[in-house]
Amino acid sequence: MLVLFDIDGTLLQSQHAGMHAMVDAFEELHIGKTFSFDGIDIAGRLDTLIWKDMTRRHEVAEDADSHEVFRETYQRHLAKRLQEKNTVKAFDGVAELVERLVQEPNVELGLLTGNYPATGRLKVEFAGLRADHFQVNAFAGDGTTRRDLPPIALRRYREKHGRDIERERVIIIGDTPHDVDCAHHNGCLCLAVSTGQFSAEQLRQCGADHVVESLSPVEPILLWLLQHRR
């Protein structure tokens, strides 16, 4: 079984540290301009798409070189911000759920997230979680939309284990309709948790296979997950 976790709104909350660091990065790179996320959709989207929306809205360069410089600058600002004041906190039940799953046989964990790799891992570590528990990952930049990410994770699972995994044994845990959509588009299951911006009812209406309000208590969530292990 492969369990793929979203980061923001699912594993942890950061009090918008990533958004603040992105603005810091944009304003360092474009002195004299003021940046904001007003009118830009954030929840469940890839950082690459958010960056592109920001460049177009504020009329700055969006070529590949500019994107790479932005990524590096954003990573530096996020690390500095979290080192000065760590606002990242894992949600209730997350640390226990991850530790319990790591100990289970025939269970692999990964991240499936709109974050860039370096900044995603940074958030995970500042939340007190071990990034090395998540071995099969798909990040922003691995695809052009979130629907592209599950096949990347499946390919990396095959590269690691030398065999394919049935898609009905892949469970994506997330907090937005984008997580539900990318799971079902690729024949995977979705456990939706309403610790982000969307209510449990909204996530049910999206067709999530199972919806919980929190990843605590852990025991019933483990039971639901492990019934899909074969």
Side-chain angles (χ1 to χ4, degrees), residues 41-59:
D41 185 19
I42 302 295
R45 297 184 69 225
L46 307 186
D47 280 353
T48 46
L49 298 180
I50 295 168
W51 170 81
K52 188 168 288 188
D53 284 351
M54 287 285 279
T55 60
R56 291 175 178 176
R57 183 175 186 272
H58 295 90
E59 299 180 333

Side-chain angles (χ1 to χ4, degrees), residues 52-71:
K52 188 168 288 188
D53 284 351
M54 287 285 279
T55 60
R56 291 175 178 176
R57 183 175 186 272
H58 295 90
E59 299 180 333
V60 296
E62 59 173 281
D63 57 277
D65 289 343
S66 297
H67 184 216
E68 187 57 33
V69 171
F70 168 78
R71 283 179 54 166

